[in-house]
Amino acid sequence: MSSARITNSHEIKQLIEQLVRQTIDRQNDYDSDKCTQLSKNLSQIIKDAMKKYHNEQYKYVVQVVIGQCQDENLMITCRCLWDIQNDNYISFVYSNKKLFCAVTVFRIVYY
């Protein structure tokens, strides 16, 4: 395998940032039911956007964590496999006055 570094990482991080800001800023308050669905929707939106960077050698896994800024409520969505020698990730954290959102996109080798 080649380098574990994700190519186009700056471009991918900008894309994730844009998608997260657009999605989270539409949510006015923390609601556990809405944020559960929002985390699933956002992970799907990001996964679909990653198709632009499709490479037969890799798969992408998206993890989204949404929580309330005022206390410790969290909603977590995660699907992940890891090969320490070949896999890598990009992460982005965003918050507004009500919510925070942490996104990690894992790039895993497809054997």
Side-chain angles (χ1 to χ4, degrees):
M1 295 289 138
S2 60
S3 168
R5 186 174 166 268
I6 294 181
T7 56
N8 300 320
S9 61
H10 181 72
E11 182 180 341
I12 293 170
K13 193 164 188 170
Q14 285 182 325
L15 174 64
I16 293 167
E17 179 178 345
Q18 177 186 10
L19 294 171
V20 169
R21 286 178 189 272
Q22 289 173 353
T23 304
I24 296 300
D25 283 344
R26 282 188 252 147
Q27 185 73 24
N28 295 326
D29 288 310
Y30 181 84
D31 176 288
S32 62
D33 293 331
K34 287 181 182 178
C35 286
T36 298
Q37 190 59 48
L38 184 63
S39 67
K40 291 176 184 178
N41 293 347
L42 184 56
S43 64
Q44 185 65 47
I45 290 166
I46 293 169
K47 188 182 85 163
D48 290 345
M50 293 306 298
K51 290 178 182 177
K52 175 182 176 181
Y53 305 97
H54 179 70
N55 179 325
E56 295 292 324
Q57 184 179 5
Y58 302 109
K59 282 186 156 186
Y60 292 93
V61 178
V62 179
Q63 175 185 16
V64 175
V65 178
I66 297 175
Q68 186 175 18
C69 288
Q70 296 176 357
D71 58 35
E72 299 180 28
N73 293 324
L74 296 174
M75 292 297 134
I76 299 173
T77 303
C78 181
R79 295 166 183 88
C80 184
L81 299 171
W82 197 253
D83 176 339
I84 196 164
Q85 294 178 343
N86 298 303
D87 300 333
N88 204 345
Y89 68 94
I90 293 175
S91 61
F92 174 71
V93 178
Y94 175 71
S95 64
N96 59 25
K97 292 181 180 182
K98 303 286 184 174
L99 304 171
F100 72 86
C101 181
V103 173
T104 305
V105 175
F106 298 95
R107 185 205 65 188
I108 56 174
V109 174
Y110 183 68
Y111 294 101

